[in-house]
Each structure stands twice: as C-alpha cells, then as structure tokens.
C-alpha cells in the first residue's frame, strides 16, 4: 500500500514529545512490513539545517506562496520524508507550535491549515510527484483538516483516512475568523462539522471526517468516551465508537536497549542485571546523592523524565514531597514546561538537596541515564494516552510506578501477592488521583525493594515484555486494509 503518514513532528528531525517518536517508528515498522511509506511534515528551519541529503521534488505556486516539496531520508532505515517548504509559514525560530517565549504562533491555524491542504494535494497526486496514496494516516489536530480537504474539497474518490489521537486535550481551537480565512465551505460551520461551541476545531476534522479513528492504547480508547477524559468530545466519540480502535505504541528498540545504550555507564541485560547498579551509582554521583544511607542500606532511587504539565500529575508529586522525604528514597527529575512547576521543584531540591535533584531541561542523554540508573520510574499522570517512558523503563528493569490510567493501565501490572506469585507483576500502580495513594504505592515499592530476590523477579518479568513496533504496525496495517 502507498501510505502517506502526516505529522507535525518526526524524530530525529524535530521532537517535542511522544508523537515524534511514533511518527518515525510506526512508518519504519510499516516499511519493514513491505509497505510504501512517505512521511510528510513541515520544513521547519531547524529541520532544513539538519539535512545532509535532500532533493527538491517539485516547486509549485499555491495560494500566492511558492512551495517546495523536498525529499530526504532518515538513516539507517532509509525512510523517505517529504517536507513542505514554505518559508512564510515554517521558517521561524522556536518549536513547531510556539515562539521562543513559549506563546503559540499567532497564525498556527493558517500554518497547519496550509500543511493539511498541501497534504491532501500530495495524497491525490496533484502536485506532480507521481505518487498517489491509498491511505493517509493523520496524527493529532495539526493534521485534522486533511480528511476534510480530501472528502469535501479536493477529490472525487479520496484515499482512505485514519486519524490517530495522541492526546485529546490538544484540539486546535481557533476563533471563527480562521474558518473564513481558510476558505472552508460554509456548510462545515455546524456542530456536525468543524464548529465547537462557537470555535473552529481542527481535531473535529479528523474525528468527524476520517474513515477510522485510532488512539494509542485500548484503555484510553475507552476513557475518552467518558466526560472525565473526553475533553468535551465524548459525545462525538461515542457516536463514532464503532470506528474507534486503541492500539498501543511500541518503542524504538535500537535506541532504548540497555545492552547497547551509548548514553549509559554500564551496559546490561537480563542475564547481567547486577551491572545495572553501576548506572545507579553514576546517577547518584551526578545528582550529588550518597550511595548508602546512614544505616548502610540502599536508598530507593526514583526517576522521572517528563513534560512538566498538569497532565503528568506533577502536583500530586509536589504535594507528596514532605511525606516522601521522610522515606529512604532519592528522587531525580528531568523535565521542562510549566514555569510554576519548574520553580516549585527547584525550591524543593534546594530544601532537600540530599533527597531531590531537579534538572529543568530537555536532555536525551540524561533521560537515558535516569531510565537506566533509577530503581523506580514515576508517572503519576492524571491521564496518559499511551506513555512511552514506562515502556523504556520496563525494558531497562527500572520498575514503573504509575497511576493506572490510559496506556499506563495497559502496560504496567501492579505488584501484589497474586501478581508476584504468578510472575506477572512488572511495576506498581495506584488508582486514586491523590497524593496519599501515590505515597502508599511508594511505601509498598519500598517494602518490595527491601527483598532483593523479589525485586529481581519483578525486574526480570518487566524486562521480558515485548513492546516492539512490529505487532502494533501489523494491527495498523490490518486497519488500513479494512478501511
Ligand atoms: P508525552 O508525549 O505526553 O510528552 P510520552 O511518554 O508519550 O509523553 O513521550 C515523551 C517522550 O519525550 C519520551 O521519549 C521522553 O523520553 C521524552 N522526554 C520528555 N521530557 C523530556 C526531557 N525533559 N528530556 C528528554 N526527553 C524527554
């Protein structure tokens, strides 16, 4: 099949979150299943600067702009990426969505509306690339108008479309004026179309017009049908329930492999698990922590690598700090985002320097060192469509301690008498959305940590889990074929 995979970010060219990882690894897995895949993304200036191999496939005039379609390949997979180069929209500093001050670009609707229109033209072979898509796989609100352009504006016999929700909270909502600026047909301005309580909603383009809707875990696919997780779109999603499927993300097994990880101090695998402790010691040293407590015992080293946003339950952690610092634990947090959280966490680190270390940055290499070195990986998320870092942690024998929501509920098996006995336990989880529940889970993890052989048993079960992309890619391929 010819698959056009559209995304606003693609690892390793540009990444702000999990979407970029998926937008590289799923197409790669589809290519390995012998499909013809093109990834399509905007040519941001930072991406153009990174390209070492590229060629211009065509230059066209569209809506008064000169647009180049550039092809590059990502090595070693040789995945083909097509970039839409239109400097007035994409040649800017900052990240794909916000300026250097962290504010949304004022013309995001026009930028991504343009991206969607060009995507629809490419998919229907109208830009001279001699390639026609059978399937267009759209991701998140930035791709939301592609099914709209395909079905209502451009093509008589459009390719089939799949729309994947990576995070329903980000909907691409803009004032009515953008609807007119985008010259969309008047009949789309209704609650059955793109209107959302007086605003223009990009994500509704995908949710209303795509042939199939997917999201990134089975549990999240159920949760978003409810008012608690549906972000106001639960009614529409219930209506489309029969076209909605949850497929868990995989991980990049080359990038996240403790036996070969170039960022960590000591390589290890399930047979050489004791070597993991070298990574713990190195991380403790890096954080300025001691390796042993006054009583000679090992502290439980808890790691976090995360966007600092409300979604990630950072406030549950912050409210737990006074209680957690009474326990034999150490906590290292790598994160960036909400300034309020950054400042509060720095203040906590200043108050408890022997227990808490905070790095507010985006640092891939440190993320690897934390995931390899920590005993526990903490994710107290309010909601979590899939989550990738708990999957990396499982592979590294770093037991996830998570709130049982979304993909976390699908991928982490809580340790209790039963799951420990039948060798299914892979981590720790709690359900209630409150600090006490988090603290109780940490206390239970500490009790397990005190029993070496038990801990190792859970680690080995965690490390055996298969989160390769192959299985998920096969599931997507089946959906494409059924579309
Ligand atoms: P989300 O997409 O909601 O941010 P995911 O768990 O799906 O959460 O993916 C987050 C990705 O971003 C992971 O690959 C994680 O390692 C990475 N990441 C998040 N914050 C940082 C950071 N501060 N430094 C390095 N990597 C980070």
């Amino acid at each position: 099949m010819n698959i056009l995979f559209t995304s606003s970010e693609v690892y390793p060219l540009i990444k702000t979150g999990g979407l970029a990882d998926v937008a590289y690894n799923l197409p790669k897995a589809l290519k390995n299943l012998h499909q013809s895949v093109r990834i399509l993304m905007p040519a941001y200036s930072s991406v153009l600067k990174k390209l070492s191999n590229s060629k211009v496939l065509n230059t066209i005039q569209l809506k008064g702009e000169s647009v180049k379609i550039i092809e590059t390949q990502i090595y070693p997979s040789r995945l083909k990426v097509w970039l839409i180069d239109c400097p007035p929209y994409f040649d800017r500093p900052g990240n794909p969505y916000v300026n250097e001050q962290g504010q949304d670009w004022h013309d995001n609707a026009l930028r991504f509306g343009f991206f969607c229109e060009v995507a629809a033209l490419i998919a229907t072979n109208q830009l001279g690339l001699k390639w026609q898509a059978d399937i267009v796989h759209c991701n998140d609100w930035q791709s939301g108008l592609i099914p709209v352009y395909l079905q209502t504006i451009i093509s008589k016999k459009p390719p089939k479309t799949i729309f994947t929700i990576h995070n329903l909270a980000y909907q691409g909502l803009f004032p009515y004026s953008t609807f007119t600026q985008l010259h969309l047909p008047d009949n789309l301005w209704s609650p059955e179309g793109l209107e959302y309580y007086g605003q223009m909603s990009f994500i509704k383009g995908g949710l209303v017009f795509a042939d199939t809707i997917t999201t990134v875990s089975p549990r999240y696919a159920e949760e978003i049908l409810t008012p608690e997780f549906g972000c106001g779109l639960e009614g529409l999603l219930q209506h489309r329930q029969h076209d909605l499927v949850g497929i868990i993300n995989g991980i990049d097994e080359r990038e996240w492999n403790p036996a070969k990880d170039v960022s960590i101090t000591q390589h290890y695998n399930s047979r050489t698990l004791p070597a993991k402790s070298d990574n713990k010691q190195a991380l403790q040293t890096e954080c300025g922590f001691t390796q042993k407590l006054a009583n000679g015992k090992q502290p439980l080293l808890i790691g976090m690598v995360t966007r600092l946003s409300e979604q990630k339950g950072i406030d549950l952690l912050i409210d737990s700090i006074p209680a957690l610092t009474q326990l034999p634990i150490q906590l290292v947090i790598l994160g960036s985002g909400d300034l309020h959280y950054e400042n509060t966490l720095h203040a906590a680190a200043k108050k408890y320097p022997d227990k808490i270390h905070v790095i507010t940055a985006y640092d891939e290499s440190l993320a690897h060192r934390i995931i390899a070195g920590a005993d526990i990986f903490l994710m107290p998320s309010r909601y979590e469509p899939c989550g990738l870092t708990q999957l990396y942690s499982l592979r590294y024998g770093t037991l996830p301690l998570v709130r049982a929501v979304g993909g976390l509920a699908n991928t982490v098996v809580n340790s209790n008498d039963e799951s420990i006995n039948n060798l299914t336990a892979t981590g720790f989880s709690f359900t209630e959305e409150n600090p006490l529940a988090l603290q109780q889970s940490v206390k239970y993890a500490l009790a397990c940590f005190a029993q070496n052989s038990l801990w190792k048993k859970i680690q080995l079960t965690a490390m055996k889990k298969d989160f390769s992309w192959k299985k998920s890619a096969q599931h997507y391929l089946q959906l494409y074929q059924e579309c």
Side-chain angles (χ1 to χ4, degrees):
M1 287 183 125
N2 282 350
I3 300 158
L4 186 66
F5 194 94
T6 62
S7 176
S8 55
E9 51 183 277
V10 179
Y11 178 84
L13 299 174
I14 192 158
K15 168 171 164 177
T16 71
L19 169 61
D21 291 320
V22 177
Y24 170 60
N25 287 295
L26 174 54
K28 187 170 82 173
L30 288 164
K31 184 170 185 266
N32 290 340
L33 295 174
H34 313 294
Q35 305 306 308
S36 164
V37 192
R38 302 289 181 276
I39 302 176
L40 185 70
M41 67 177 288
Y44 308 108
S45 41
S46 63
V47 169
L48 287 176
K49 277 187 208 129
K50 271 192 194 165
L51 299 184
S52 53
N53 61 84
S54 66
K55 60 180 177 194
V56 176
L57 297 183
N58 205 357
T59 304
I60 48 148
Q61 300 298 318
L62 187 67
K63 299 201 155 165
E65 305 294 351
S66 174
V67 185
K68 283 193 201 122
I69 311 297
I70 299 173
E71 179 177 284
T72 187
Q73 292 190 14
I74 304 181
Y75 286 91
S77 58
R78 301 183 73 99
L79 255 182
K80 283 189 179 153
V81 182
W82 286 349
L83 300 157
I84 301 174
D85 183 21
C86 182
Y89 288 130
F90 303 122
D91 180 10
R92 324 179 165 187
N95 89 5
Y97 321 114
V98 298
N99 62 23
E100 283 165 317
Q101 286 72 48
Q103 293 146 342
D104 286 352
W105 293 111
H106 70 281
D107 55 352
N108 271 347
L110 299 184
R111 297 169 73 224
F112 291 107
F114 187 79
F115 172 64
C116 290
E117 196 168 351
V118 176
L121 290 166
I122 289 177
T124 48
N125 192 20
Q126 296 186 62
L127 293 189
L129 305 188
K130 301 194 178 77
W131 189 90
Q132 163 104 26
D134 301 309
I135 288 285
V136 185
H137 191 146
C138 311
N139 294 280
D140 274 353
W141 74 262
Q142 297 87 354
S143 309
L145 293 191
I146 299 173
V148 179
Y149 281 118
L150 282 173
Q151 275 199 21
T152 62
I153 300 172
I154 289 176
S155 180
K156 291 208 175 79
K157 197 172 172 298
K160 296 292 183 185
T161 48
I162 290 223
F163 182 80
T164 297
I165 305 164
H166 296 265
N167 192 333
L168 192 60
Y170 298 91
Q171 301 186 354
L173 293 177
F174 300 97
Y176 171 69
S177 55
T178 51
F179 180 79
T180 47
Q181 281 174 300
L182 287 165
H183 303 293
L184 291 159
D186 287 344
N187 65 351
L188 291 181
W189 188 257
S190 77
E192 289 74 39
L194 300 177
E195 182 189 350
Y196 181 78
Y197 298 105
Q199 288 188 289
M200 146 109 195
S201 164
F202 268 55
I203 201 169
K204 278 190 74 182
L207 301 185
V208 174
F209 292 95
D211 295 294
T212 299
I213 304 168
T214 72
T215 189
V216 287
S217 68
R219 174 69 84 94
Y220 193 59
E222 289 167 19
E223 288 171 346
I224 56 179
L225 302 177
T226 66
E228 188 185 352
F229 295 98
C231 303
L233 291 166
E234 58 275 11
L236 170 56
L237 287 164
Q238 284 162 19
H239 178 68
R240 296 225 52 196
Q241 194 169 356
H242 299 295
D243 302 315
L244 171 65
V245 183
I247 303 177
I248 205 86
N249 286 334
I251 62 172
D252 185 335
E253 291 182 307
R254 265 169 183 260
E255 186 84 8
W256 293 96
N257 177 0
K260 295 202 171 140
D261 191 325
V262 290
S263 302
I264 67 177
T265 304
Q266 181 66 54
H267 292 157
Y268 62 96
N269 59 30
S270 52
R271 285 183 305 281
T272 57
L273 189 51
K276 182 179 188 323
S277 63
D278 291 355
N279 297 298
K280 176 172 177 178
Q281 283 175 15
L283 183 60
Q284 286 171 315
T285 306
E286 191 172 346
C287 297
F289 293 154
T290 54
Q291 281 162 17
K292 291 236 165 82
L293 299 167
N295 62 7
K297 291 201 171 142
Q298 285 261 340
L300 179 78
L301 181 54
I302 303 177
M304 277 182 100
V305 177
T306 183
R307 283 185 295 116
L308 296 176
S309 75
E310 201 192 338
Q311 173 195 341
K312 301 293 179 180
I314 307 300
D315 49 332
L316 296 184
L317 170 70
I318 288 171
D319 291 346
S320 292
I321 285 176
L324 291 182
T325 47
Q326 302 299 311
L327 302 173
I329 61 123
Q330 295 167 334
L331 174 63
V332 49
I333 304 167
L334 167 65
S336 59
D338 190 321
L339 266 186
H340 167 70
Y341 291 138
E342 291 193 3
N343 294 338
T344 312
L345 290 171
H346 273 303
K350 208 168 161 197
K351 189 165 175 194
Y352 305 103
D354 54 335
K355 295 252 172 193
I356 301 178
H357 188 71
V358 174
I359 310 100
T360 46
Y362 191 92
D363 184 336
E364 292 270 355
S365 169
L366 179 55
H368 283 250
R369 296 200 296 281
I370 291 177
I371 287 174
D375 298 303
I376 286 275
F377 190 83
L378 179 62
M379 292 178 83
S381 304
R382 287 186 187 283
Y383 70 94
E384 194 62 70
C386 176
L388 290 172
T389 37
Q390 87 279 12
L391 305 181
Y392 305 150
S393 302
L394 288 165
R395 189 143 199 246
Y396 281 67
T398 301
L399 303 185
L401 192 157
V402 304
R403 180 151 176 262
V405 284
L408 299 175
N410 286 129
T411 56
V412 179
V413 179
N414 184 35
S415 301
N416 53 34
D417 289 347
E418 190 188 343
S419 63
I420 289 171
N421 281 336
N422 65 21
L423 292 181
T424 54
T426 58
F428 304 91
S429 67
F430 60 96
T431 310
E432 297 296 315
E433 191 181 319
N434 65 49
L436 213 60
L438 189 164
Q439 291 155 32
Q440 275 162 354
S441 197
V442 172
K443 283 181 189 159
Y444 186 73
L446 268 168
C448 295
F449 185 64
Q451 303 169 58
N452 279 340
S453 62
L454 167 63
W455 192 261
K456 191 167 173 200
K457 205 153 77 171
I458 306 173
Q459 283 181 303
L460 292 176
T461 310
M463 291 174 88
K464 274 197 213 116
K465 288 277 164 190
D466 175 11
F467 291 111
S468 65
W469 264 105
K470 191 172 176 195
K471 221 169 23 177
S472 304
Q474 279 165 335
H475 198 162
Y476 278 108
L477 190 54
Q478 186 193 338
L479 282 185
Y480 297 161
Q481 283 156 350
E482 287 166 0
C483 247

